[in-house]
Amino acid sequence: MIKKIAITLAVIFVLLFGAFQLLTYQTKKASPEQLEKYMNDDIVLEVVYCSPSKKGRTVMDSLVPFGEVWRTGANEATTFTASKDITISGQPLPAGTYTLWTIPNQKEWEVIFNSGEYGWGVNWSQEVSRDASFDVLNITTPVMQLPVNQERFTIQFEGDVNLTMAWENTKISMPISL
């Protein structure tokens, strides 16, 4: 009897594990995981995020509502890692790994670096799981309009180390001092 129960539990475990792997693969296929890395001498900056597509949808103030916290990407919460202390938009950020959240608006975005770890970034009701008491840095940055719609959401390091985010016809940029 114990042997049958053990076999049954093992089969259930294997099926659940397989279903979870399939679900993860399917969601990552639609919004693939991206790694953006900047390296200079002894400092490394890294952003890991999942890049959703526009797919004919209206993004700003629809899919990504204005005035509400967004997990900044799809799937898991986006992470930002700095190997050393840096300054972003004139404000200090200690070395470490942070989850990256935004509050988009038409003319400016609030960008939030949070020391909590949240896995998926939203709960079953699709509400963000960020705990504001772990916010380390909040930056408000102006929106730039892109001349051409961008299909995929991107986070990049550009120029003399600017952290940028862009999607649809919206782009923000924050200077980083090393």
Side-chain angles (χ1 to χ4, degrees):
M1 182 67 161
I2 292 175
K3 189 176 182 179
K4 286 182 181 182
I5 292 172
I7 291 171
T8 302
L9 289 175
V11 167
I12 290 171
F13 175 78
V14 167
L15 289 173
L16 288 175
F17 181 77
F20 176 76
Q21 294 300 319
L22 179 63
L23 178 64
T24 300
Y25 170 75
Q26 291 298 332
T27 58
K28 296 271 176 120
K29 189 168 70 174
S31 299
E33 188 171 90
Q34 303 292 317
L35 168 65
E36 181 70 14
K37 192 178 255 191
Y38 172 85
M39 294 185 288
N40 184 6
D41 296 327
D42 60 345
I43 190 162
V44 177
L45 304 177
E46 184 176 278
V47 179
V48 179
Y49 69 103
C50 291
S51 175
S53 291
K54 187 172 164 31
K55 297 180 189 169
R57 303 175 287 186
T58 300
V59 176
M60 293 302 147
D61 203 24
S62 182
L63 183 63
V64 177
F66 286 157
E68 295 182 21
V69 176
W70 179 42
R71 71 177 152 183
T72 315
N75 304 330
E76 297 92 352
T78 294
T79 60
F80 177 91
T81 302
S83 63
K84 294 200 171 208
D85 295 355
I86 59 173
T87 301
I88 301 179
S89 293
Q91 298 184 47
L93 182 68
T97 298
Y98 302 93
T99 49
L100 190 60
W101 307 85
T102 52
I103 303 174
N105 283 295
Q106 187 173 1
K107 295 184 180 185
E108 63 185 19
W109 282 26
E110 183 177 348
V111 181
I112 303 161
F113 294 82
N114 182 289
S115 62
E117 294 182 25
Y118 303 97
W120 206 246
V122 294
N123 61 23
W124 289 105
S125 303
Q126 296 301 307
E127 298 164 337
V128 295
S129 51
R130 166 186 153 255
D131 181 348
S133 68
F134 290 103
D135 289 355
V136 175
L137 177 61
N138 293 47
I139 295 169
T140 300
T141 188
V143 167
M144 296 175 273
Q145 294 300 307
L146 296 172
V148 177
N149 270 331
Q150 184 169 315
E151 176 65 23
R152 282 204 164 287
F153 172 69
T154 61
I155 301 176
Q156 297 177 316
F157 294 108
E158 294 179 350
D160 295 333
V161 198
N162 290 295
L163 178 62
T164 66
M165 298 178 207
W167 199 9
E168 199 172 45
N169 62 350
T170 300
K171 180 176 183 177
I172 63 168
S173 181
M174 297 165 289
I176 298 176
S177 300
L178 308 176

